[in-house]
PDB file of all heavy atoms in Angstrom:
ATOM      1  N   TRP N  58       5.506 220.805 162.279  1.00 92.00           N
ATOM      2  CA  TRP N  58       5.119 220.699 160.878  1.00 92.00           C
ATOM      3  C   TRP N  58       3.603 220.564 160.812  1.00 92.00           C
ATOM      4  O   TRP N  58       3.014 219.688 161.443  1.00 92.00           O
ATOM      5  CB  TRP N  58       5.828 219.493 160.265  1.00 92.00           C
ATOM      6  CG  TRP N  58       5.402 219.126 158.865  1.00 92.00           C
ATOM      7  CD1 TRP N  58       4.703 219.892 157.987  1.00 92.00           C
ATOM      8  CD2 TRP N  58       5.666 217.898 158.190  1.00 92.00           C
ATOM      9  NE1 TRP N  58       4.514 219.230 156.803  1.00 92.00           N
ATOM     10  CE2 TRP N  58       5.092 217.995 156.902  1.00 92.00           C
ATOM     11  CE3 TRP N  58       6.337 216.734 158.538  1.00 92.00           C
ATOM     12  CZ2 TRP N  58       5.166 216.960 155.978  1.00 92.00           C
ATOM     13  CZ3 TRP N  58       6.412 215.707 157.607  1.00 92.00           C
ATOM     14  CH2 TRP N  58       5.835 215.811 156.343  1.00 92.00           C
ATOM     15  N   HIS N  59       2.947 221.408 160.010  1.00 90.00           N
ATOM     16  CA  HIS N  59       1.489 221.422 159.886  1.00 90.00           C
ATOM     17  C   HIS N  59       1.078 220.608 158.661  1.00 90.00           C
ATOM     18  O   HIS N  59       1.070 221.117 157.536  1.00 90.00           O
ATOM     19  CB  HIS N  59       0.990 222.862 159.792  1.00 90.00           C
ATOM     20  CG  HIS N  59       1.389 223.693 160.977  1.00 90.00           C
ATOM     21  ND1 HIS N  59       0.740 223.626 162.186  1.00 90.00           N
ATOM     22  CD2 HIS N  59       2.403 224.583 161.143  1.00 90.00           C
ATOM     23  CE1 HIS N  59       1.318 224.444 163.044  1.00 90.00           C
ATOM     24  NE2 HIS N  59       2.336 225.028 162.444  1.00 90.00           N
ATOM     25  N   LYS N  60       0.716 219.353 158.897  1.00 83.00           N
ATOM     26  CA  LYS N  60       0.420 218.451 157.788  1.00 83.00           C
ATOM     27  C   LYS N  60      -0.952 218.684 157.175  1.00 83.00           C
ATOM     28  O   LYS N  60      -1.298 218.033 156.191  1.00 83.00           O
ATOM     29  CB  LYS N  60       0.552 216.992 158.248  1.00 83.00           C
ATOM     30  CG  LYS N  60       1.984 216.596 158.579  1.00 83.00           C
ATOM     31  CD  LYS N  60       2.090 215.109 158.892  1.00 83.00           C
ATOM     32  CE  LYS N  60       3.527 214.712 159.196  1.00 83.00           C
ATOM     33  NZ  LYS N  60       3.657 213.270 159.505  1.00 83.00           N
ATOM     34  N   GLY N  61      -1.731 219.608 157.757  1.00 82.00           N
ATOM     35  CA  GLY N  61      -2.976 219.990 157.106  1.00 82.00           C
ATOM     36  C   GLY N  61      -2.728 220.792 155.845  1.00 82.00           C
ATOM     37  O   GLY N  61      -3.599 220.892 154.970  1.00 82.00           O
ATOM     38  N   GLU N  62      -1.528 221.377 155.733  1.00 83.00           N
ATOM     39  CA  GLU N  62      -1.134 222.068 154.506  1.00 83.00           C
ATOM     40  C   GLU N  62      -0.548 221.051 153.518  1.00 83.00           C
ATOM     41  O   GLU N  62      -0.212 219.924 153.881  1.00 83.00           O
ATOM     42  CB  GLU N  62      -0.110 223.153 154.824  1.00 83.00           C
ATOM     43  CG  GLU N  62      -0.634 224.247 155.732  1.00 83.00           C
ATOM     44  CD  GLU N  62      -1.858 224.936 155.167  1.00 83.00           C
ATOM     45  OE1 GLU N  62      -1.844 225.271 153.962  1.00 83.00           O
ATOM     46  OE2 GLU N  62      -2.829 225.140 155.916  1.00 83.00           O
ATOM     47  N   VAL N  63      -0.428 221.472 152.265  1.00 83.00           N
ATOM     48  CA  VAL N  63       0.067 220.577 151.224  1.00 83.00           C
ATOM     49  C   VAL N  63       1.514 220.171 151.520  1.00 83.00           C
ATOM     50  O   VAL N  63       2.348 221.001 151.873  1.00 83.00           O
ATOM     51  CB  VAL N  63      -0.008 221.264 149.849  1.00 83.00           C
ATOM     52  CG1 VAL N  63       0.687 220.416 148.786  1.00 83.00           C
ATOM     53  CG2 VAL N  63      -1.454 221.505 149.450  1.00 83.00           C
ATOM     54  N   PHE N  64       1.783 218.863 151.403  1.00 88.00           N
ATOM     55  CA  PHE N  64       3.152 218.375 151.475  1.00 88.00           C
ATOM     56  C   PHE N  64       3.387 217.382 150.348  1.00 88.00           C
ATOM     57  O   PHE N  64       2.441 216.924 149.697  1.00 88.00           O
ATOM     58  CB  PHE N  64       3.465 217.754 152.847  1.00 88.00           C
ATOM     59  CG  PHE N  64       2.627 216.557 153.221  1.00 88.00           C
ATOM     60  CD1 PHE N  64       3.044 215.269 152.926  1.00 88.00           C
ATOM     61  CD2 PHE N  64       1.430 216.724 153.895  1.00 88.00           C
ATOM     62  CE1 PHE N  64       2.284 214.173 153.283  1.00 88.00           C
ATOM     63  CE2 PHE N  64       0.650 215.627 154.261  1.00 88.00           C
ATOM     64  CZ  PHE N  64       1.077 214.348 153.949  1.00 88.00           C
ATOM     65  N   GLY N  65       4.635 217.088 150.099  1.00 88.00           N
ATOM     66  CA  GLY N  65       4.972 216.215 148.986  1.00 88.00           C
ATOM     67  C   GLY N  65       5.391 214.833 149.441  1.00 88.00           C
ATOM     68  O   GLY N  65       5.906 214.654 150.549  1.00 88.00           O
ATOM     69  N   ILE N  66       5.154 213.859 148.588  1.00 91.00           N
ATOM     70  CA  ILE N  66       5.736 212.526 148.744  1.00 91.00           C
ATOM     71  C   ILE N  66       6.457 212.220 147.434  1.00 91.00           C
ATOM     72  O   ILE N  66       5.981 212.576 146.356  1.00 91.00           O
ATOM     73  CB  ILE N  66       4.688 211.448 149.068  1.00 91.00           C
ATOM     74  CG1 ILE N  66       3.613 211.369 147.975  1.00 91.00           C
ATOM     75  CG2 ILE N  66       4.043 211.723 150.411  1.00 91.00           C
ATOM     76  CD1 ILE N  66       2.621 210.227 148.185  1.00 91.00           C
ATOM     77  N   ALA N  67       7.610 211.619 147.518  1.00 94.00           N
ATOM     78  CA  ALA N  67       8.413 211.445 146.303  1.00 94.00           C
ATOM     79  C   ALA N  67       9.283 210.207 146.403  1.00 94.00           C
ATOM     80  O   ALA N  67       9.627 209.748 147.494  1.00 94.00           O
ATOM     81  CB  ALA N  67       9.286 212.675 146.059  1.00 94.00           C
ATOM     82  N   ALA N  68       9.633 209.671 145.241  1.00 96.00           N
ATOM     83  CA  ALA N  68      10.617 208.597 145.127  1.00 96.00           C
ATOM     84  C   ALA N  68      11.581 208.965 144.012  1.00 96.00           C
ATOM     85  O   ALA N  68      11.199 209.615 143.032  1.00 96.00           O
ATOM     86  CB  ALA N  68       9.947 207.262 144.824  1.00 96.00           C
ATOM     87  N   ARG N  69      12.831 208.558 144.175  1.00 97.00           N
ATOM     88  CA  ARG N  69      13.877 208.934 143.232  1.00 97.00           C
ATOM     89  C   ARG N  69      14.774 207.745 142.926  1.00 97.00           C
ATOM     90  O   ARG N  69      14.980 206.874 143.759  1.00 97.00           O
ATOM     91  CB  ARG N  69      14.719 210.050 143.844  1.00 97.00           C
ATOM     92  CG  ARG N  69      15.924 210.461 143.012  1.00 97.00           C
ATOM     93  CD  ARG N  69      17.175 210.593 143.867  1.00 97.00           C
ATOM     94  NE  ARG N  69      17.694 209.312 144.344  1.00 97.00           N
ATOM     95  CZ  ARG N  69      18.678 209.188 145.220  1.00 97.00           C
ATOM     96  NH1 ARG N  69      19.225 210.253 145.747  1.00 97.00           N
ATOM     97  NH2 ARG N  69      19.117 207.982 145.579  1.00 97.00           N
ATOM     98  N   SER N  70      15.298 207.725 141.700  1.00 98.00           N
ATOM     99  CA  SER N  70      16.258 206.692 141.311  1.00 98.00           C
ATOM    100  C   SER N  70      17.253 207.294 140.334  1.00 98.00           C
ATOM    101  O   SER N  70      17.089 208.425 139.868  1.00 98.00           O
ATOM    102  CB  SER N  70      15.543 205.506 140.643  1.00 98.00           C
ATOM    103  OG  SER N  70      15.017 205.897 139.376  1.00 98.00           O
ATOM    104  N   TYR N  71      18.295 206.518 140.034  1.00 98.00           N
ATOM    105  CA  TYR N  71      19.233 206.881 138.974  1.00 98.00           C
ATOM    106  C   TYR N  71      19.229 205.761 137.938  1.00 98.00           C
ATOM    107  O   TYR N  71      19.177 204.575 138.278  1.00 98.00           O
ATOM    108  CB  TYR N  71      20.647 207.069 139.530  1.00 98.00           C
ATOM    109  CG  TYR N  71      20.777 208.250 140.456  1.00 98.00           C
ATOM    110  CD1 TYR N  71      20.881 208.068 141.831  1.00 98.00           C
ATOM    111  CD2 TYR N  71      20.786 209.541 139.951  1.00 98.00           C
ATOM    112  CE1 TYR N  71      20.993 209.154 142.680  1.00 98.00           C
ATOM    113  CE2 TYR N  71      20.899 210.637 140.800  1.00 98.00           C
ATOM    114  CZ  TYR N  71      21.002 210.433 142.159  1.00 98.00           C
ATOM    115  OH  TYR N  71      21.099 211.514 143.004  1.00 98.00           O
ATOM    116  N   CYS N  72      19.290 206.160 136.659  1.00 98.00           N
ATOM    117  CA  CYS N  72      19.324 205.197 135.566  1.00 98.00           C
ATOM    118  C   CYS N  72      20.410 205.613 134.574  1.00 98.00           C
ATOM    119  O   CYS N  72      20.532 206.804 134.250  1.00 98.00           O
ATOM    120  CB  CYS N  72      17.986 205.139 134.826  1.00 98.00           C
ATOM    121  SG  CYS N  72      16.568 204.668 135.828  1.00 98.00           S
ATOM    122  N   ASP N  73      21.169 204.642 134.091  1.00 98.00           N
ATOM    123  CA  ASP N  73      22.085 204.927 132.996  1.00 98.00           C
ATOM    124  C   ASP N  73      21.278 205.290 131.754  1.00 98.00           C
ATOM    125  O   ASP N  73      20.197 204.723 131.507  1.00 98.00           O
ATOM    126  CB  ASP N  73      22.956 203.711 132.695  1.00 98.00           C
ATOM    127  CG  ASP N  73      23.932 203.401 133.829  1.00 98.00           C
ATOM    128  OD1 ASP N  73      24.228 204.307 134.627  1.00 98.00           O
ATOM    129  OD2 ASP N  73      24.387 202.239 133.908  1.00 98.00           O
ATOM    130  N   SER N  74      21.789 206.247 130.978  1.00 98.00           N
ATOM    131  CA  SER N  74      21.110 206.637 129.742  1.00 98.00           C
ATOM    132  C   SER N  74      22.112 207.300 128.808  1.00 98.00           C
ATOM    133  O   SER N  74      22.926 208.127 129.255  1.00 98.00           O
ATOM    134  CB  SER N  74      19.968 207.614 130.021  1.00 98.00           C
ATOM    135  OG  SER N  74      19.445 208.144 128.802  1.00 98.00           O
ATOM    136  N   PRO N  75      22.054 206.980 127.508  1.00 98.00           N
ATOM    137  CA  PRO N  75      22.935 207.665 126.553  1.00 98.00           C
ATOM    138  C   PRO N  75      22.514 209.108 126.308  1.00 98.00           C
ATOM    139  O   PRO N  75      23.207 209.842 125.605  1.00 98.00           O
ATOM    140  CB  PRO N  75      22.791 206.822 125.286  1.00 98.00           C
ATOM    141  CG  PRO N  75      21.444 206.197 125.395  1.00 98.00           C
ATOM    142  CD  PRO N  75      21.238 205.940 126.856  1.00 98.00           C
ATOM    143  N   PHE N  76      21.381 209.518 126.890  1.00 98.00           N
ATOM    144  CA  PHE N  76      20.875 210.878 126.688  1.00 98.00           C
ATOM    145  C   PHE N  76      21.093 211.752 127.924  1.00 98.00           C
ATOM    146  O   PHE N  76      20.354 212.710 128.154  1.00 98.00           O
ATOM    147  CB  PHE N  76      19.389 210.834 126.323  1.00 98.00           C
ATOM    148  CG  PHE N  76      19.091 210.003 125.110  1.00 98.00           C
ATOM    149  CD1 PHE N  76      18.452 208.772 125.230  1.00 98.00           C
ATOM    150  CD2 PHE N  76      19.472 210.427 123.836  1.00 98.00           C
ATOM    151  CE1 PHE N  76      18.190 207.989 124.124  1.00 98.00           C
ATOM    152  CE2 PHE N  76      19.213 209.647 122.718  1.00 98.00           C
ATOM    153  CZ  PHE N  76      18.566 208.429 122.863  1.00 98.00           C
ATOM    154  N   SER N  77      22.113 211.444 128.697  1.00 98.00           N
ATOM    155  CA  SER N  77      22.334 212.202 129.935  1.00 98.00           C
ATOM    156  C   SER N  77      22.843 213.613 129.670  1.00 98.00           C
ATOM    157  O   SER N  77      22.897 214.427 130.599  1.00 98.00           O
ATOM    158  CB  SER N  77      23.307 211.458 130.856  1.00 98.00           C
ATOM    159  OG  SER N  77      24.630 211.574 130.381  1.00 98.00           O
ATOM    160  N   ASP N  78      23.229 213.926 128.425  1.00 98.00           N
ATOM    161  CA  ASP N  78      23.632 215.291 128.084  1.00 98.00           C
ATOM    162  C   ASP N  78      22.487 216.101 127.488  1.00 98.00           C
ATOM    163  O   ASP N  78      22.692 217.266 127.105  1.00 98.00           O
ATOM    164  CB  ASP N  78      24.806 215.276 127.097  1.00 98.00           C
ATOM    165  CG  ASP N  78      26.090 214.753 127.729  1.00 98.00           C
ATOM    166  OD1 ASP N  78      26.327 215.070 128.905  1.00 98.00           O
ATOM    167  OD2 ASP N  78      26.828 214.019 127.051  1.00 98.00           O
ATOM    168  N   GLU N  79      21.293 215.523 127.393  1.00 97.00           N
ATOM    169  CA  GLU N  79      20.124 216.236 126.900  1.00 97.00           C
ATOM    170  C   GLU N  79      19.966 217.556 127.676  1.00 97.00           C
ATOM    171  O   GLU N  79      19.937 217.559 128.909  1.00 97.00           O
ATOM    172  CB  GLU N  79      18.888 215.346 127.091  1.00 97.00           C
ATOM    173  CG  GLU N  79      17.562 216.038 127.240  1.00 97.00           C
ATOM    174  CD  GLU N  79      17.007 216.600 125.933  1.00 97.00           C
ATOM    175  OE1 GLU N  79      17.637 216.422 124.888  1.00 97.00           O
ATOM    176  OE2 GLU N  79      15.948 217.240 125.982  1.00 97.00           O
ATOM    177  N   PRO N  80      19.878 218.707 126.974  1.00 98.00           N
ATOM    178  CA  PRO N  80      19.908 219.996 127.676  1.00 98.00           C
ATOM    179  C   PRO N  80      18.549 220.485 128.167  1.00 98.00           C
ATOM    180  O   PRO N  80      18.322 221.687 128.268  1.00 98.00           O
ATOM    181  CB  PRO N  80      20.484 220.934 126.608  1.00 98.00           C
ATOM    182  CG  PRO N  80      19.973 220.383 125.326  1.00 98.00           C
ATOM    183  CD  PRO N  80      19.960 218.880 125.500  1.00 98.00           C
ATOM    184  N   TRP N  81      17.644 219.571 128.483  1.00 97.00           N
ATOM    185  CA  TRP N  81      16.333 219.940 129.015  1.00 97.00           C
ATOM    186  C   TRP N  81      15.970 219.024 130.175  1.00 97.00           C
ATOM    187  O   TRP N  81      16.281 217.833 130.160  1.00 97.00           O
ATOM    188  CB  TRP N  81      15.242 219.827 127.937  1.00 97.00           C
ATOM    189  CG  TRP N  81      15.416 220.780 126.803  1.00 97.00           C
ATOM    190  CD1 TRP N  81      16.127 220.573 125.656  1.00 97.00           C
ATOM    191  CD2 TRP N  81      14.879 222.103 126.710  1.00 97.00           C
ATOM    192  NE1 TRP N  81      16.074 221.686 124.846  1.00 97.00           N
ATOM    193  CE2 TRP N  81      15.305 222.642 125.464  1.00 97.00           C
ATOM    194  CE3 TRP N  81      14.074 222.883 127.535  1.00 97.00           C
ATOM    195  CZ2 TRP N  81      14.959 223.916 125.044  1.00 97.00           C
ATOM    196  CZ3 TRP N  81      13.724 224.162 127.121  1.00 97.00           C
ATOM    197  CH2 TRP N  81      14.159 224.672 125.896  1.00 97.00           C
ATOM    198  N   MET N  82      15.315 219.589 131.171  1.00 95.00           N
ATOM    199  CA  MET N  82      14.711 218.792 132.236  1.00 95.00           C
ATOM    200  C   MET N  82      13.306 218.412 131.768  1.00 95.00           C
ATOM    201  O   MET N  82      12.589 219.244 131.202  1.00 95.00           O
ATOM    202  CB  MET N  82      14.642 219.609 133.528  1.00 95.00           C
ATOM    203  CG  MET N  82      15.993 220.110 134.000  1.00 95.00           C
ATOM    204  SD  MET N  82      15.866 221.408 135.267  1.00 95.00           S
ATOM    205  CE  MET N  82      15.386 220.431 136.684  1.00 95.00           C
ATOM    206  N   HIS N  83      12.907 217.173 132.002  1.00 95.00           N
ATOM    207  CA  HIS N  83      11.624 216.689 131.507  1.00 95.00           C
ATOM    208  C   HIS N  83      10.695 216.339 132.666  1.00 95.00           C
ATOM    209  O   HIS N  83      11.121 215.736 133.661  1.00 95.00           O
ATOM    210  CB  HIS N  83      11.824 215.446 130.637  1.00 95.00           C
ATOM    211  CG  HIS N  83      12.505 215.732 129.333  1.00 95.00           C
ATOM    212  ND1 HIS N  83      11.850 215.729 128.125  1.00 95.00           N
ATOM    213  CD2 HIS N  83      13.796 216.057 129.057  1.00 95.00           C
ATOM    214  CE1 HIS N  83      12.710 216.023 127.152  1.00 95.00           C
ATOM    215  NE2 HIS N  83      13.895 216.225 127.699  1.00 95.00           N
ATOM    216  N   SER N  84       9.432 216.734 132.512  1.00 91.00           N
ATOM    217  CA  SER N  84       8.417 216.398 133.509  1.00 91.00           C
ATOM    218  C   SER N  84       7.174 215.869 132.803  1.00 91.00           C
ATOM    219  O   SER N  84       6.717 216.454 131.813  1.00 91.00           O
ATOM    220  CB  SER N  84       8.062 217.631 134.344  1.00 91.00           C
ATOM    221  OG  SER N  84       7.114 217.302 135.336  1.00 91.00           O
ATOM    222  N   HIS N  85       6.677 214.742 133.291  1.00 92.00           N
ATOM    223  CA  HIS N  85       5.468 214.126 132.748  1.00 92.00           C
ATOM    224  C   HIS N  85       4.346 214.281 133.772  1.00 92.00           C
ATOM    225  O   HIS N  85       4.437 213.746 134.876  1.00 92.00           O
ATOM    226  CB  HIS N  85       5.706 212.651 132.438  1.00 92.00           C
ATOM    227  CG  HIS N  85       6.720 212.414 131.362  1.00 92.00           C
ATOM    228  ND1 HIS N  85       8.088 212.469 131.602  1.00 92.00           N
ATOM    229  CD2 HIS N  85       6.581 212.138 130.034  1.00 92.00           C
ATOM    230  CE1 HIS N  85       8.739 212.227 130.467  1.00 92.00           C
ATOM    231  NE2 HIS N  85       7.855 212.024 129.515  1.00 92.00           N
ATOM    232  N   VAL N  86       3.321 215.045 133.390  1.00 84.00           N
ATOM    233  CA  VAL N  86       2.239 215.332 134.337  1.00 84.00           C
ATOM    234  C   VAL N  86       1.061 214.377 134.165  1.00 84.00           C
ATOM    235  O   VAL N  86       0.078 214.486 134.894  1.00 84.00           O
ATOM    236  CB  VAL N  86       1.768 216.797 134.208  1.00 84.00           C
ATOM    237  CG1 VAL N  86       2.891 217.742 134.576  1.00 84.00           C
ATOM    238  CG2 VAL N  86       1.259 217.089 132.803  1.00 84.00           C
ATOM    239  N   GLU N  87       1.164 213.461 133.212  1.00 84.00           N
ATOM    240  CA  GLU N  87       0.155 212.409 133.050  1.00 84.00           C
ATOM    241  C   GLU N  87       0.826 211.076 133.356  1.00 84.00           C
ATOM    242  O   GLU N  87       1.518 210.507 132.513  1.00 84.00           O
ATOM    243  CB  GLU N  87      -0.412 212.410 131.627  1.00 84.00           C
ATOM    244  CG  GLU N  87      -1.478 211.351 131.411  1.00 84.00           C
ATOM    245  CD  GLU N  87      -1.972 211.294 129.963  1.00 84.00           C
ATOM    246  OE1 GLU N  87      -1.412 212.021 129.110  1.00 84.00           O
ATOM    247  OE2 GLU N  87      -2.907 210.526 129.681  1.00 84.00           O
ATOM    248  N   LEU N  88       0.639 210.603 134.557  1.00 84.00           N
ATOM    249  CA  LEU N  88       1.239 209.340 134.981  1.00 84.00           C
ATOM    250  C   LEU N  88       0.177 208.254 135.030  1.00 84.00           C
ATOM    251  O   LEU N  88      -0.917 208.461 135.565  1.00 84.00           O
ATOM    252  CB  LEU N  88       1.873 209.483 136.366  1.00 84.00           C
ATOM    253  CG  LEU N  88       3.205 210.218 136.466  1.00 84.00           C
ATOM    254  CD1 LEU N  88       3.768 210.059 137.870  1.00 84.00           C
ATOM    255  CD2 LEU N  88       4.206 209.691 135.453  1.00 84.00           C
ATOM    256  N   ARG N  89       0.513 207.099 134.507  1.00 83.00           N
ATOM    257  CA  ARG N  89      -0.408 205.954 134.527  1.00 83.00           C
ATOM    258  C   ARG N  89       0.300 204.750 135.114  1.00 83.00           C
ATOM    259  O   ARG N  89       1.512 204.589 134.962  1.00 83.00           O
ATOM    260  CB  ARG N  89      -0.919 205.640 133.120  1.00 83.00           C
ATOM    261  CG  ARG N  89      -1.734 206.776 132.515  1.00 83.00           C
ATOM    262  CD  ARG N  89      -2.204 206.465 131.107  1.00 83.00           C
ATOM    263  NE  ARG N  89      -2.958 207.565 130.530  1.00 83.00           N
ATOM    264  CZ  ARG N  89      -4.280 207.700 130.633  1.00 83.00           C
ATOM    265  NH1 ARG N  89      -4.991 206.777 131.264  1.00 83.00           N
ATOM    266  NH2 ARG N  89      -4.895 208.739 130.097  1.00 83.00           N
ATOM    267  N   ASP N  90      -0.458 203.908 135.779  1.00 81.00           N
ATOM    268  CA  ASP N  90       0.126 202.688 136.319  1.00 81.00           C
ATOM    269  C   ASP N  90       0.231 201.643 135.219  1.00 81.00           C
ATOM    270  O   ASP N  90      -0.054 201.917 134.038  1.00 81.00           O
ATOM    271  CB  ASP N  90      -0.665 202.187 137.526  1.00 81.00           C
ATOM    272  CG  ASP N  90      -2.088 201.749 137.183  1.00 81.00           C
ATOM    273  OD1 ASP N  90      -2.404 201.575 135.981  1.00 81.00           O
ATOM    274  OD2 ASP N  90      -2.887 201.571 138.128  1.00 81.00           O
ATOM    275  N   ALA N  91       0.642 200.426 135.590  1.00 82.00           N
ATOM    276  CA  ALA N  91       0.862 199.380 134.592  1.00 82.00           C
ATOM    277  C   ALA N  91      -0.425 198.998 133.860  1.00 82.00           C
ATOM    278  O   ALA N  91      -0.382 198.463 132.752  1.00 82.00           O
ATOM    279  CB  ALA N  91       1.462 198.146 135.263  1.00 82.00           C
ATOM    280  N   ASP N  92      -1.587 199.304 134.473  1.00 85.00           N
ATOM    281  CA  ASP N  92      -2.873 198.997 133.844  1.00 85.00           C
ATOM    282  C   ASP N  92      -3.445 200.165 133.061  1.00 85.00           C
ATOM    283  O   ASP N  92      -4.570 200.102 132.561  1.00 85.00           O
ATOM    284  CB  ASP N  92      -3.885 198.556 134.911  1.00 85.00           C
ATOM    285  CG  ASP N  92      -3.451 197.274 135.618  1.00 85.00           C
ATOM    286  OD1 ASP N  92      -2.926 196.373 134.922  1.00 85.00           O
ATOM    287  OD2 ASP N  92      -3.622 197.185 136.846  1.00 85.00           O
ATOM    288  N   GLY N  93      -2.686 201.265 132.987  1.00 84.00           N
ATOM    289  CA  GLY N  93      -3.133 202.423 132.230  1.00 84.00           C
ATOM    290  C   GLY N  93      -4.037 203.372 132.987  1.00 84.00           C
ATOM    291  O   GLY N  93      -4.585 204.311 132.403  1.00 84.00           O
ATOM    292  N   VAL N  94      -4.187 203.174 134.294  1.00 80.00           N
ATOM    293  CA  VAL N  94      -5.055 204.037 135.101  1.00 80.00           C
ATOM    294  C   VAL N  94      -4.265 205.276 135.527  1.00 80.00           C
ATOM    295  O   VAL N  94      -3.134 205.175 136.027  1.00 80.00           O
ATOM    296  CB  VAL N  94      -5.564 203.285 136.351  1.00 80.00           C
ATOM    297  CG1 VAL N  94      -6.428 204.201 137.215  1.00 80.00           C
ATOM    298  CG2 VAL N  94      -6.337 202.044 135.925  1.00 80.00           C
ATOM    299  N   ILE N  95      -4.868 206.463 135.311  1.00 79.00           N
ATOM    300  CA  ILE N  95      -4.207 207.706 135.685  1.00 79.00           C
ATOM    301  C   ILE N  95      -3.972 207.744 137.191  1.00 79.00           C
ATOM    302  O   ILE N  95      -4.859 207.435 137.988  1.00 79.00           O
ATOM    303  CB  ILE N  95      -5.047 208.925 135.251  1.00 79.00           C
ATOM    304  CG1 ILE N  95      -5.022 209.056 133.726  1.00 79.00           C
ATOM    305  CG2 ILE N  95      -4.532 210.208 135.896  1.00 79.00           C
ATOM    306  CD1 ILE N  95      -5.798 210.227 133.188  1.00 79.00           C
ATOM    307  N   GLN N  96      -2.753 208.142 137.567  1.00 78.00           N
ATOM    308  CA  GLN N  96      -2.363 208.212 138.969  1.00 78.00           C
ATOM    309  C   GLN N  96      -2.150 209.667 139.389  1.00 78.00           C
ATOM    310  O   GLN N  96      -1.759 210.501 138.568  1.00 78.00           O
ATOM    311  CB  GLN N  96      -1.053 207.438 139.190  1.00 78.00           C
ATOM    312  CG  GLN N  96      -1.136 205.974 138.836  1.00 78.00           C
ATOM    313  CD  GLN N  96      -2.094 205.222 139.745  1.00 78.00           C
ATOM    314  OE1 GLN N  96      -1.916 205.183 140.958  1.00 78.00           O
ATOM    315  NE2 GLN N  96      -3.119 204.641 139.150  1.00 78.00           N
ATOM    316  N   PRO N  97      -2.414 209.992 140.642  1.00 71.00           N
ATOM    317  CA  PRO N  97      -2.094 211.344 141.100  1.00 71.00           C
ATOM    318  C   PRO N  97      -0.588 211.546 141.132  1.00 71.00           C
ATOM    319  O   PRO N  97       0.154 210.652 141.528  1.00 71.00           O
ATOM    320  CB  PRO N  97      -2.677 211.382 142.527  1.00 71.00           C
ATOM    321  CG  PRO N  97      -2.681 209.945 142.964  1.00 71.00           C
ATOM    322  CD  PRO N  97      -2.943 209.142 141.721  1.00 71.00           C
ATOM    323  N   GLY N  98      -0.149 212.694 140.666  1.00 77.00           N
ATOM    324  CA  GLY N  98       1.280 212.967 140.736  1.00 77.00           C
ATOM    325  C   GLY N  98       1.893 213.258 139.382  1.00 77.00           C
ATOM    326  O   GLY N  98       1.205 213.460 138.382  1.00 77.00           O
TER     327      GLY N  98
END
């Protein structure tokens, strides 16, 4: 594996939600930490 090329790091969870039948996948490209600082990812 050539780690000089781009690779991903990820974390995943499951959450109960009444909107689990929502017919769209959602992605948020502006992520902020608890202090409001923009995070990579």
Side-chain angles (χ1 to χ4, degrees):
W58 172 16
H59 302 282
K60 292 186 179 180
E62 297 303 314
V63 172
F64 61 92
I66 58 175
R69 175 226 71 188
S70 69
Y71 293 105
C72 300
D73 292 338
S74 171
F76 303 108
S77 75
D78 292 322
E79 153 75 2
W81 295 89
M82 302 165 74
H83 291 253
S84 182
H85 296 80
V86 297
E87 181 184 5
L88 284 189
R89 297 179 181 270
D90 65 14
D92 297 320
V94 178
I95 290 181
Q96 300 295 300

